[in-house]
C-alpha cells in the first residue's frame, strides 16, 4: 500500500478545505476546526489497530488544508466505517465523515478508486444492488438459488434507465 | 397485525438467504406481516466512500418507495438500517439538501411524502420477550456470545437500536430463548465486514479475531444480526482462521435463527443448512446421530 508523506511542505489548499467545512455544515456535522487534537478518536479506531489509520491526524491535515495530500494517500481507504470516532469525539467532529468527503472528491475528480468499489458502483447502476444474485452454498456442499428456497424474486428499480441516470448524477456531484 | 415492508438490501437479496428465510418465518410469530415491495435498490451504505451524496439518494428513494405503499420498513441488515435512518435524519435537519434530493426523486418518478419508520428485527424481538418466553418449544440451553455489529449501535445522534457502548438487548433476547448469555469485552468490536471491497485480508483478520474471542472465552456459539459479519464469520470462517493463524471451529448463527428454533420453527425453513460453520445443534454428536435426531424431529 503506497503511503504518501503527509508532512508536506506544500501550501495548504484553502478552497478545498472550505469545501469540506461547507459540506460538513450542510450535513450538520461540526467543522474540522473544532478538533483540539485530543486523539480520543484514534485511541478507539478499529483501523488504527490493524492498518495504522490515525483519524486525529486526518482531521489535523484537513484542518490545516492539506487535502491534496490526503486525497493521494491510500490510508484514507482503510477506514472500516465503525463510527467509533464520530460517536466518541468530545467536539462532535466526525473523522469518518471527513474521510468520506475526501474520498468523494477523488471520485468526482475521476481519480482511481481501489478494490471492488468501481465494480459495486457499476453493478448498482446496472441492476440496483452491489452484486448480482448468487447461488448459495449449503452445508452438504450443494448449491441452491433463491427460488429453490421459496424466496420471491429480489427487488430491483422498476425503470432501470432513469434510476441509473439519477444515481450517476448523484455520485458525480459534490454536495456544495 | 402490523404490516412492514421487508427491505432486504444487497446481501439478503443476493446471497445471505438464510437470514431472509429466518426473518420471514419468525416475524409473523410477533404479529408482523411482511410485505414485498417492488422497486427497492441498494441502501447506499456500502458506497459512502465513493459518494455520500449518492448514499443519501439511494437511501431516500427506498424510503419514498415504502412511503408510497404506506408502510414502515423492516431492515434486517445493520448497514441498511443505519443508512436508511441516517438519510432520514440528515435530510430532516438539512432542508437545502432535502430540496436537492426531492428534485432527483422526481427524475425517477418518485416523490417525498415524509419519512417512514425503520425497524430492525432485534427491536421487534426485544419488544416481544414475553412472546418468546411463552412460546418456548426448544429452550436453547447453550452459552452464546453476542456480536451486535457497529451499525445498529452507532452513531447515537441517530436513533439506534440499543445503547452504543453497553447494549443489552441481544443478551436479553437470548436469555428469553433459554440460552445463557453475558457481556464479554470484544462484543462491540468491528467485524471488518465493509473491508471486503478493498482490504480482504484485513476483513478476514477482523472477523477471525471476533470468532477467536468468543471461542477463547468458551462460548458454544456466536450469534449475530448483520449479514456483513455473518458472511465472513460463518461463511468464510476457515479463511479467517488461516489469515489469523488460529484454529477456529465455532458455530456462528443469526439471532433470528436461534429465536426461531427456540420457538419451534423448522430448522430447514430457518435456513440452518445455509450456515457453513459448525452447527450449533447436534455438532457434538456424530453426523449420523445428528441426522437421526433430525429425522425424529421431523
Ligand atoms: S476525538 Fe475529536 S477532537 Fe479529539 S482528536 Fe479526534 S476529532 Fe479531534
Ligand atoms: S469509522 Fe473509520 S476512522 Fe473512525 S474509528 Fe472507525 S475505522 Fe477509525
Amino acid at each position: 500500500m503506497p503511503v504518501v508523506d503527509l508532512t508536506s511542505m506544500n501550501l495548504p489548499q484553502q478552497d478545498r478545505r472550505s469545501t469540506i467545512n461547507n459540506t460538513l455544515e450542510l450535513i450538520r456535522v461540526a467543522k474540522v476546526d473544532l478538533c483540539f487534537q485530543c486523539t480520543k478518536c484514534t485511541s478507539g479506531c478499529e483501523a488504527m489497530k490493524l492498518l495504522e489509520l490515525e483519524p486525529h491526524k486526518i482531521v489535523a491535515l484537513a484542518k490545516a488544508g492539506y487535502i491534496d495530500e490526503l486525497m493521494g494517500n491510500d490510508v484514507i481507504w482503510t477506514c472500516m466505517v465503525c463510527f467509533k470516532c464520530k460517536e466518541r469525539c468530545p467536539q462532535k467532529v466526525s473523522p469518518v465523515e471527513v474521510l468520506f468527503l475526501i474520498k468523494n472528491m477523488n471520485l468526482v475528480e475521476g481519480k482511481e478508486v481501489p478494490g471492488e468499489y468501481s465494480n459495486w458502483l457499476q453493478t448498482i447502476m446496472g441492476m440496483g444492488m452491489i452484486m448480482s444474485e448468487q447461488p448459495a452454498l449449503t452445508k452438504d456442499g450443494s448449491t441452491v438459488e433463491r427460488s429453490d428456497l421459496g424466496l420471491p424474486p429480489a427487488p430491483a428499480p422498476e425503470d432501470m434507465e432513469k434510476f441509473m441516470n439519477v444515481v450517476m448524477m448523484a455520485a458525480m456531484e459534490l454536495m456544495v | 397485525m402490523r404490516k412492514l415492508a421487508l427491505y432486504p438490501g444487497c446481501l439478503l437479496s443476493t446471497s445471505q438467504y438464510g437470514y431472509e428465510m429466518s426473518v420471514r418465518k419468525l416475524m409473523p410469530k410477533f404479529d408482523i406481516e411482511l410485505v414485498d415491495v417492488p422497486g427497492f435498490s441498494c441502501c447506499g451504505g456500502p458506497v459512502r466512500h465513493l459518494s455520500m451524496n449518492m448514499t443519501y439518494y439511494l437511501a431516500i428513494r427506498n424510503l419514498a418507495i415504502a412511503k408510497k405503499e404506506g408502510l414502515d420498513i423492516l431492515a434486517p441488515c445493520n448497514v441498511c438500517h443505519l443508512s436508511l435512518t441516517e438519510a432520514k435524519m440528515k435530510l430532516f435537519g438539512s432542508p437545502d439538501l432535502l430540496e436537492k434530493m426531492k428534485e432527483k426523486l422526481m427524475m425517477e418518478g418518485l416523490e417525498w411524502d415524509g419519512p417512514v419508520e425503520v425497524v430492525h428485527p432485534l427491536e421487534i424481538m426485544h419488544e416481544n420477550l414475553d412472546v418468546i418466553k411463552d412460546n418456548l418449544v426448544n429452550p436453547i440451553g447453550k452459552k452464546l456470545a453476542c456480536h451486535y455489529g457497529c451499525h445498529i449501535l452507532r452513531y447515537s445522534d441517530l436513533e439506534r437500536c440499543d445503547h452504543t457502548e453497553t447494549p443489552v438487548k441481544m443478551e436479553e433476547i437470548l436469555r428469553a430463548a433459554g440460552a445463557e448469555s453475558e457481556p464479554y469485552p470484544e462484543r462491540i468490536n468491528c467485524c471488518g465486514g465493509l473491508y471486503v471491497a478493498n482490504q480482504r485480508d484485513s476483513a478476514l483478520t477482523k472477523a477471525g479475531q471476533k470468532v477467536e474471542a468468543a471461542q477463547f472465552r468458551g462460548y458454544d456459539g456466536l450469534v449475530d444480526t448483520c449479514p456483513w459479519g455473518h458472511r465472513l464469520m460463518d461463511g468464510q470462517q476457515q479463511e479467517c482462521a488461516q489469515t489469523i493463524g488460529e484454529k477456529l471451529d465455532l458455530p456462528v448463527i443469526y439471532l433470528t435463527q436461534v429465536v426461531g428454533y427456540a420457538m419451534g420453527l423448522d430448522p430447514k425453513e430457518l435456513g440452518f443448512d445455509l450456515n457453513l460453520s459448525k452447527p450449533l445443534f447436534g455438532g457434538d454428536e456424530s453426523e449420523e446421530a445428528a441426522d437421526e435426531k433430525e429425522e425424529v424431529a421431523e
Side-chain angles (χ1 to χ4, degrees):
Chain A
M1 179 170 71
V3 176
V4 177
D5 178 6
L6 287 174
T7 331
S8 168
M9 291 295 280
N10 288 341
L11 286 177
Q13 306 99 44
Q14 295 305 346
D15 48 335
R16 286 190 185 276
R17 178 177 173 280
S18 309
T19 305
I20 290 189
N21 268 338
N22 294 342
T23 316
L24 291 170
E25 196 176 4
L26 182 74
I27 60 172
R28 302 292 182 264
V29 177
K31 294 182 181 181
V32 286
D33 307 58
L34 282 176
C35 168
F36 52 27
Q37 289 292 295
C38 70
T39 70
K40 192 175 175 189
C41 50
T42 297
S43 71
C45 174
E46 294 270 358
M48 190 271 287
K49 295 172 199 162
L50 199 60
L51 295 168
E52 298 178 15
L53 172 65
E54 295 173 293
H56 76 285
K57 287 194 186 165
I58 303 289
V59 178
L61 283 158
K63 187 173 166 179
Y66 291 114
I67 313 296
D68 286 347
E69 284 75 1
L70 285 168
M71 282 171 69
N73 195 313
D74 274 1
V75 81
I76 60 174
W77 295 96
T78 62
C79 164
M80 50 180 100
V81 201
C82 72
F83 285 107
K84 285 186 177 171
C85 54
K86 180 178 172 74
E87 179 69 47
R88 294 168 179 174
C89 173
Q91 291 291 86
K92 296 262 167 215
V93 176
S94 177
V96 53
E97 280 163 304
V98 173
L99 280 161
F100 286 144
L101 292 178
I102 291 164
K103 287 174 276 193
N104 295 179
M105 286 173 147
N106 270 333
L107 185 79
V108 170
E109 293 182 20
K111 301 212 168 72
E112 210 184 322
V113 296
E116 288 294 310
Y117 284 120
S118 46
N119 257 343
W120 283 6
L121 184 57
Q122 274 174 14
T123 316
I124 290 177
M125 289 194 288
M127 50 182 52
M129 303 283 180
I130 57 168
M131 57 185 192
S132 57
E133 210 177 299
Q134 322 268 322
L137 212 58
T138 68
K139 192 86 195 134
D140 61 17
S142 56
T143 55
V144 282
E145 306 284 344
R146 266 186 82 82
S147 51
D148 301 333
L149 298 163
L151 294 171
E158 293 187 315
D159 187 332
M160 231 23 253
E161 199 178 320
K162 277 189 192 157
F163 170 80
M164 186 183 86
N165 289 337
V166 189
V167 172
M168 170 82 104
M169 181 200 257
M172 296 316 287
E173 71 185 15
L174 292 176
M175 280 180 265
V176 295
Chain B
M1 176 150 300
R2 183 181 185 193
K3 276 192 182 183
L4 292 172
L6 175 62
Y7 176 77
C10 296
L11 293 194
L12 274 61
S13 304
T14 62
S15 54
Q16 287 295 313
Y17 306 137
Y19 194 15
E20 185 172 337
M21 290 164 80
S22 60
V23 168
R24 284 184 189 272
K25 278 285 155 205
L26 181 62
M27 288 301 123
K29 291 266 181 201
F30 305 126
D31 238 10
I32 306 265
E33 183 187 335
L34 295 176
V35 183
D36 290 299
V37 177
F40 283 144
S41 64
C42 170
C43 71
V47 287
R48 281 192 190 85
H49 301 280
L50 300 179
S51 168
M52 277 174 91
N53 198 45
M54 170 176 64
T55 297
Y56 295 153
Y57 179 70
L58 286 168
I60 195 177
R61 76 174 289 287
N62 289 311
L63 297 173
I65 288 170
K67 184 76 181 188
K68 202 169 70 184
E69 306 291 325
L71 294 168
D72 289 333
I73 286 179
L74 182 77
C77 166
N78 294 14
V79 174
C80 299
H81 189 281
L82 175 70
S83 181
L84 299 176
T85 311
E86 179 181 49
K88 183 175 81 171
M89 306 292 268
K90 285 240 165 154
L91 297 174
F92 206 60
S94 186
D96 297 349
L97 196 56
L98 182 59
E99 278 314 309
K100 286 193 191 174
M101 291 296 160
K102 280 184 186 167
E103 282 168 28
K104 291 196 174 61
L105 283 174
M106 264 158 56
M107 292 166 63
E108 230 198 301
L110 294 167
E111 71 180 301
W112 179 246
D113 186 21
V116 301
E117 217 188 307
V118 183
V119 190
H120 193 278
L122 175 85
E123 297 171 292
I124 306 272
M125 287 182 270
H126 195 259
E127 282 160 15
N128 286 286
L129 288 179
D130 288 342
V131 179
I132 299 175
K133 282 181 201 153
D134 293 346
N135 293 280
L136 213 53
V137 178
N138 299 316
I140 299 299
K142 306 253 180 194
K143 192 178 159 206
L144 298 176
C146 295
H147 166 65
Y148 276 83
C150 296
H151 290 196
I152 52 171
L153 301 180
R154 286 180 294 275
Y155 46 99
S156 55
D157 289 357
L158 308 175
E159 294 155 8
R160 301 320 293 135
C161 305
D162 206 338
H163 189 277
T164 172
E165 305 281 357
T166 50
V168 294
K169 289 187 182 171
M170 264 182 104
E171 283 85 357
E172 288 179 10
I173 293 166
L174 286 172
R175 287 200 286 270
E180 234 183 275
S181 188
E182 294 301 329
Y184 64 103
E186 296 86 356
R187 76 192 167 127
I188 66 162
N189 285 4
C190 178
C191 69
L194 282 168
Y195 258 168
V196 290
N198 65 324
Q199 311 270 356
R200 201 177 132 71
D201 278 356
S202 305
L204 294 170
T205 304
K206 281 303 231 189
Q209 288 170 346
K210 293 267 349 184
V211 178
E212 187 196 5
Q215 185 173 285
F216 171 77
R217 290 179 189 285
Y219 285 99
D220 299 322
L222 179 60
V223 183
D224 55 24
T225 61
C226 180
W228 287 88
H230 191 85
R231 73 206 285 239
L232 294 171
M233 298 188 298
D234 167 72
Q236 298 172 51
Q237 194 177 102
Q238 288 323 309
E239 284 98 316
C240 291
Q242 267 172 18
T243 311
I244 62 168
E246 294 285 340
K247 256 181 107 109
L248 299 178
D249 192 18
L250 189 73
V252 177
I253 185 166
Y254 282 115
L255 182 62
T256 41
Q257 291 178 319
V258 177
V259 173
Y261 180 78
M263 294 176 78
L265 293 171
D266 178 0
K268 237 191 157 63
E269 294 188 352
L270 293 167
F272 275 36
D273 293 349
L274 298 169
N275 287 342
L276 301 179
S277 57
K278 181 165 141 186
L280 179 61
F281 305 102
D284 299 336
E285 300 141 276
S286 72
E287 255 183 68
E288 262 169 61
D291 283 347
E292 255 174 51
K293 212 175 151 191
E294 243 188 71
E295 270 162 34
V296 172
E298 273 168 11

